[in-house]
Amino acid sequence: MKFGKVLALLLVASALTACDAREEKASTSYFSAEQMATAASLRDAALEDDGTWEILEELVSVAPKRLAGSPGDKVARDWATNKLESLGFDRVWVQEFTLRGWERSSASAAVLGDEGVDLDITSLGRSVSTPVGGVTAQVIHFPTFGDLEASAESAVSGKIVFISNRMVRKKDGSGYGPANVARSRGHEVVARKGGLALLIRSIGTDNHDAPHTGVMSFGASGVSQPEQDLAYEEAVSAPYGEKTVAAGAISNVDSDVLEALFESTEAVTVALEISNNDLGEVTSYNIIGEIAGSERPEEVVITGGHIDAWDTGVGAMDDGMGVAITMNAASMIGGLARRPARTIRYVAFGAEELGLLGARAYAEEYAEVDHVFGIESDFGIGKVWQLSPAVSADAVPVLAEIATLLEPMGIGWDPEAQGFPGPDLRPLVAGEGLAGAALNGDGTFYFDLHHTAEDTLDKIKASDLGYNTAAYAALLYLVAEYDGRFDADTY
Ligand SMILES: [Zn+2]
């Protein structure tokens, strides 16, 4: 790439002030010219390389269905283990953990009467089944979760609840959280108020027929993982409607239809039937591979994605893409003549979609590991557009220097933004204050496809994968070489 050559020349020129760049760094430079040139060569090689696409294509064809605890989860585990070994990772192993498994069976919903219409629906993750024969009842409409919470019990009791909030499209995905509370928390409020079932407008920005699934939370917001697990056990063991109700998401198109009916019809009645299986205790897996550090192997830079995916699509975008990008980036670094100083540990996390369960198991088992820096890839479609730090103020200039290698690609740098290293790193951030950064993906169209049957390989461009891999490879290499710490004491 042309800009790569130009940049290399500029770096060589700027390094002339230091005779031995490795020993006598200029005060503004945290990396030697040689280190920057190696990172630039990784970047440029990744831009021309199809390896990430090949990994992703293989993953979604070998293991298209990979919900935690499903037969496909084991296929994905074996695929990832073999892939890491064949890519030359030094050490590859599997961490097992258990969870209460859940399996989707079927869902149907129809508006009864003259206005009769079948609604496109999918179960929310972990939803219980409706009682035998389904539930037929009048529907009460709430524009938001807050409206449901504020409603009188008498208004909800004996009815099916429909929450119609629509997710707002934003590049950074910040429209997701405010709308998503309907999906995560709605079912418990409906049960508490004596409602019979929950329907929500899909949490997505699209206008298509594919409904968006996603997990429901159990237990009060903010309680510990063991308390959440207990709340889930209790809810699925209790009689129907006591602690939770069956819950499904209606496609955005049919949610518009349903919403319009409340304007034109006195009473909307829906026949709903949801069937799912509680699998009891099942096993899932984190698949781990290491590129051993050449000087300080006990210091670990952690990267990866989550290998589980919702069963509605094939998880090409969420998160096959992240699994492949970081796997190939780490593998390219492993192919260097001289390994970086620190170890790069790649993790394909399991059971992210069911509540970061693999991530929590990882943080528990590897609490003693010296994780120096972390970055996951699990957001956005298309090209990364910005680097943002999640490090101490002292270490921000180090990332600023790394950003100079990404800038020619068109990736911005925002030292003020607080980066989010990734959902599966959240337990490490919370537990040990893991430092890291975010290479922000573009979320503008991400939530058109997220958790739907439309999350398939044809939505992804091979060149975008190479582009993103270039950014991860350059960044991972340099943070694994850097002499100092990044401790996120202010994060
Ligand atoms: Zn994801």
Side-chain angles (χ1 to χ4, degrees):
M1 300 295 290
K2 255 186 205 156
F3 66 76
K5 282 182 190 152
V6 171
L7 191 76
L9 287 172
L10 287 173
L11 287 167
V12 168
S14 69
L16 290 176
T17 48
C19 315
D20 181 342
R22 217 172 141 84
E23 302 302 331
E24 295 175 42
K25 287 171 193 165
S27 60
T28 53
S29 175
Y30 298 95
F31 300 101
S32 70
E34 189 191 343
Q35 287 169 323
M36 292 298 268
T38 302
S41 71
L42 276 167
R43 175 198 65 193
D44 295 346
L47 285 168
E48 299 294 327
D49 177 71
D50 281 337
T52 302
W53 174 263
E54 283 160 18
I55 292 169
L56 177 59
E57 194 177 31
E58 210 180 286
L59 169 62
V60 299
S61 46
V62 172
K65 302 292 175 185
R66 337 184 264 285
L67 192 62
S70 70
D73 193 20
K74 292 184 178 57
V75 177
R77 170 200 64 191
D78 293 345
W79 170 84
T81 309
N82 292 333
K83 197 73 204 168
L84 290 170
E85 280 167 357
S86 73
L87 288 171
F89 281 71
D90 299 313
R91 195 158 77 92
V92 177
W93 73 102
V94 173
Q95 180 199 359
E96 293 192 355
F97 57 90
T98 57
L99 65 136
R100 186 142 183 169
W102 177 89
E103 181 182 58
R104 182 187 316 278
S105 184
S106 62
S108 67
V111 179
L112 303 183
D114 296 344
E115 307 274 4
V117 55
D118 284 335
L119 303 169
D120 284 320
I121 181 173
T122 193
S123 288
L124 297 185
R126 288 178 151 185
S127 168
V128 293
S129 305
T130 46
V132 180
V135 167
T136 299
Q138 191 181 334
V139 181
I140 179 162
H141 172 214
F142 295 108
T144 67
F145 171 77
D147 296 324
L148 165 64
E149 268 196 315
S151 67
E153 248 181 69
S154 56
V156 173
S157 181
K159 298 201 179 76
I160 294 172
V161 167
F162 173 54
I163 305 176
S164 64
N165 67 185
R166 191 181 236 291
M167 182 186 161
V168 178
R169 187 185 295 282
K170 287 187 180 166
K171 189 175 185 179
D172 66 359
S174 58
Y176 186 59
N180 195 37
V181 65
R183 187 190 85 201
S184 57
R185 304 248 157 242
H187 68 109
E188 286 179 333
V189 180
V190 173
R192 199 163 64 232
K193 298 191 179 214
L196 297 179
L198 171 68
L199 299 175
I200 62 164
R201 174 188 282 278
S202 280
I203 310 302
T205 44
D206 61 283
N207 279 302
H208 60 59
D209 292 326
H212 298 238
T213 192
V215 80
M216 294 153 59
S217 301
F218 288 80
S221 131
V223 301
S224 69
Q225 185 60 31
E227 286 172 280
Q228 288 177 47
D229 293 346
L230 189 65
Y232 180 46
E233 303 263 355
E234 282 175 3
V236 297
S237 311
Y240 183 84
E242 203 165 281
K243 305 227 177 234
T244 183
V245 291
I250 308 288
S251 72
N252 270 305
V253 168
D254 282 350
S255 292
D256 288 341
V257 171
L258 195 51
E259 242 187 292
L261 283 177
F262 287 99
E263 306 291 318
S264 62
T265 314
E266 197 105 308
V268 177
T269 301
V270 162
L272 173 70
E273 193 153 11
I274 283 179
S275 173
N276 296 308
N277 302 317
D278 169 22
L279 302 178
E281 187 176 285
V282 296
T283 301
S284 189
Y285 317 93
N286 293 323
I287 304 93
I288 306 168
E290 278 187 352
I291 303 295
S294 57
E295 290 170 30
R296 303 190 300 281
E298 70 288 352
E299 295 182 12
V300 169
V301 171
I302 183 168
T303 190
H306 66 85
I307 197 156
D308 67 311
W310 283 110
D311 51 333
T312 38
V314 302
M317 190 185 79
D318 184 16
D319 181 31
M321 223 175 111
V323 163
I325 288 166
T326 50
M327 187 187 282
N328 195 31
S331 158
M332 290 181 82
I333 295 167
L336 291 171
R338 189 192 144 276
R339 295 281 171 85
R342 289 172 170 139
T343 293
I344 294 178
R345 180 179 282 194
Y346 168 86
V347 186
F349 289 95
E352 190 267 356
E353 298 292 6
L354 292 175
L356 308 181
L357 303 176
R360 292 181 204 280
Y362 177 90
E364 219 164 272
E365 182 151 350
Y366 300 104
E368 300 306 314
V369 170
D370 182 10
H371 295 105
V372 173
F373 187 95
I375 184 165
E376 183 180 23
S377 170
D378 181 29
F379 181 71
I381 190 162
K383 293 174 176 172
V384 161
W385 62 279
Q386 186 190 51
L387 174 67
S388 51
V391 298
S392 66
D394 291 354
V396 169
V398 182
L399 290 187
E401 190 170 343
I402 296 173
T404 63
L405 281 182
L406 307 182
E407 196 269 325
M409 295 171 66
I411 296 176
W413 158 243
D414 185 355
E416 303 300 321
Q418 185 177 274
F420 174 51
D424 291 296
L425 300 179
R426 202 192 284 269
L428 289 177
V429 171
E432 54 184 75
L434 174 71
L439 280 164
N440 297 311
D442 189 337
T444 310
F445 301 105
Y446 182 68
F447 290 100
D448 286 356
L449 313 168
H450 185 246
H451 296 179
T452 74
E454 297 291 320
D455 183 357
T456 48
L457 191 61
D458 54 302
K459 312 300 188 307
I460 294 166
K461 273 200 223 153
S463 58
D464 290 348
L465 293 182
Y467 186 95
N468 292 355
T469 305
Y472 276 86
L475 173 70
L476 286 169
Y477 170 76
L478 287 173
V479 297
E481 275 285 85
Y482 177 53
D483 290 339
R485 308 286 302 193
F486 296 92
D487 300 316
D489 49 12
T490 55
Y491 177 60

